[in-house]
Amino acid sequence: MPRWVVVACCLGAILAGAGCSREAKRSRYLSRAEAYFASAEYEKAFIEYQNVLRLEPTNGPVLLRIARIFFEQGMPLRAMQLLQTADLKPDDPLLRCRVAEFQLATGDRGRGRNELVALLAQSPTNSEALRLLAGSAATPEEVTNTMVYLRQFE
């Protein structure tokens, strides 16, 4: 057998093994991160998510989880910076509520209310979104529109 075939087979085996090892690491990190996140151990979850990002820097779901951790730990600016830098569009209802709440608190009421209305269109009984929408009504028209919306659930 030619020497180059042996070398190519050895390199292929090494690369295949390295890929499996990398994927196994990513899977272990992600599994631990999700377990920590579910039990609200955000510091530990953050470390494990960071480990995942070292292997896969553009993992959107992991970046969204980190943004949610930032919100849960009272760091909304970091969360919003992460969402904007990575150009992420969250689909997690609680994270979307936090984004809307941040927008409302920083004076971007139009975008905040629009986000809440869009979220409520997908999940009409989301109590957090309903609370934020009701609390953000400032003009008589917004109060009326919010009341009309809330009456749908009576």
Side-chain angles (χ1 to χ4, degrees):
M1 185 180 297
R3 185 178 176 105
W4 69 270
V5 172
V6 173
V7 171
C9 287
C10 288
L11 282 174
I14 290 170
L15 291 175
C20 292
S21 174
R22 184 179 178 92
E23 180 59 31
K25 280 182 183 179
R26 188 192 73 77
S27 182
R28 277 194 313 272
Y29 292 144
L30 190 55
S31 177
R32 285 193 302 247
E34 291 295 325
Y36 288 136
F37 186 87
S39 62
E41 295 181 70
Y42 297 126
E43 293 84 10
K44 292 178 182 178
F46 178 76
I47 291 167
E48 296 298 336
Y49 285 133
Q50 289 291 86
N51 289 333
V52 172
L53 289 177
R54 268 192 242 118
L55 298 172
E56 192 179 357
T58 59
N59 186 315
V62 168
L63 292 167
L64 288 171
R65 284 289 200 186
I66 290 173
R68 176 129 171 238
I69 287 171
F70 288 155
F71 274 117
E72 296 301 325
Q73 292 183 324
M75 297 182 280
L77 280 175
R78 284 190 72 186
M80 292 301 291
Q81 288 170 340
L82 176 62
L83 292 171
Q84 290 171 349
T85 301
D87 195 29
L88 298 170
K89 307 289 186 252
D91 58 357
D92 172 0
L94 185 56
L95 183 54
R96 289 179 68 188
C97 281
R98 295 290 171 262
V99 168
E101 187 174 31
F102 178 82
Q103 291 168 330
L104 292 168
T106 57
D108 196 353
R109 292 181 5 73
R111 283 181 56 196
R113 286 183 59 83
N114 288 342
E115 178 64 29
L116 291 168
V117 169
L119 175 57
L120 287 167
Q122 293 176 339
S123 178
T125 59
N126 184 314
S127 61
E128 180 71 5
L130 289 167
R131 181 188 68 76
L132 289 170
L133 185 65
S136 69
T139 67
E141 181 182 345
E142 289 174 345
V143 171
T144 302
N145 290 342
T146 303
M147 292 300 293
V148 167
Y149 188 83
L150 293 175
R151 284 196 185 110
Q152 297 175 33
F153 303 106
E154 293 180 333

